[in-house]
Amino acid sequence: MKRTVYLILFRGVGGKTQLPVQVLREKLTAAGFENVATYINSGNAVVRSSLNRKQVIATIAELCRTEFHFDKPIFAPTLAEWDDLIARNPFAKAAAAAPSTVHAALLASKPTAENIERIRACAVESEEIEIVGNVAYLHLPHSFGRSKLAEKFDKWIGVTNTIRSWNTVFKLAALGRVVESDRKN
């Protein structure tokens, strides 16, 4: 049976909400996922499985509820979908020059045009937001932490999302290739 690499992106990890990565890796492996890897303690894992996406998310969500008392949205793009996310980045030049200035937010559904424009109105010089498919790309050349656009994004986008810096996007892609290749991490 074909095995697919999924990038597991937990929403809302960090600060008070933690998922201990070593234990998470152990629990995911015990649940039958292969070549489990995690990336930093901020809600990122990569697994290989013959399960479909719905089954992967359901299995991991149940594991998180029972083992970690964590009940927040989980996104599970495939490695191929992640590569497409990278290829479709409208801010590729900015990401190549300064990857910390670009972010990608996976969206559970399409936001309204009104919500996008409301967020866009917060942009200051050189800040940009573009929606491509189910991804919001943010270019924030003055820092994510100081950006009003970034500050308002989560509250005003109106759909469940999870956001990653472009550095993390690339690290997860590389980790996904390791998991896909069958090498132990």
Side-chain angles (χ1 to χ4, degrees):
M1 180 171 265
K2 184 178 182 322
R3 297 172 298 174
T4 302
V5 173
Y6 293 96
L7 287 77
I8 309 303
L9 309 174
F10 299 95
R11 176 175 162 75
V13 174
K16 293 179 183 176
T17 304
Q18 295 294 314
L19 282 174
V21 292
Q22 181 177 342
V23 178
L24 178 63
R25 280 192 306 271
E26 292 167 1
K27 298 294 183 183
L28 289 170
T29 300
F33 294 103
E34 301 173 351
N35 290 12
V36 175
T38 54
Y39 175 67
I40 62 177
N41 196 21
S42 62
N44 305 293
V46 181
V47 302
R48 193 170 65 182
S49 178
S50 58
L51 298 175
N52 67 40
R53 183 188 335 264
K54 273 187 166 178
Q55 294 168 319
V56 166
I57 291 172
T59 301
I60 294 172
E62 181 58 26
L63 181 147
C64 286
R65 275 190 295 277
T66 59
E67 298 292 333
F68 304 108
H69 309 289
F70 178 87
D71 192 13
K72 295 188 180 185
I74 299 170
F75 289 77
T78 66
L79 180 57
E81 290 166 340
W82 201 249
D83 286 339
D84 187 56
L85 175 150
I86 292 169
R88 296 173 75 182
N89 179 2
F91 308 122
K93 286 182 182 175
S100 64
T101 68
V102 176
H103 295 75
L106 274 70
L107 308 171
S109 59
K110 185 176 172 118
T112 66
E114 294 82 18
N115 286 353
I116 296 166
E117 290 310 312
R118 185 176 177 202
I119 295 166
R120 192 172 275 134
C122 293
V124 296
E125 179 188 344
S126 305
E127 291 185 334
E128 302 173 89
I129 177 173
E130 293 297 331
I131 310 297
V132 180
N134 69 333
V135 180
Y137 295 90
L138 304 161
H139 178 224
L140 308 167
H142 310 293
S143 156
F144 187 92
R146 293 192 311 256
S147 169
K148 185 157 184 135
L149 185 153
E151 175 190 332
K152 299 297 184 186
F153 177 83
D154 193 52
K155 183 184 282 186
W156 289 358
I157 195 69
V159 299
T160 303
N161 68 86
T162 190
I163 193 165
R164 298 297 184 276
S165 72
W166 205 249
N167 285 322
T168 298
V169 167
F170 268 112
K171 299 272 192 204
L172 289 172
L175 193 55
R177 284 185 236 314
V178 171
V179 167
E180 183 178 53
S181 73
D182 230 356
R183 291 179 279 174
K184 295 296 176 198
N185 354 73

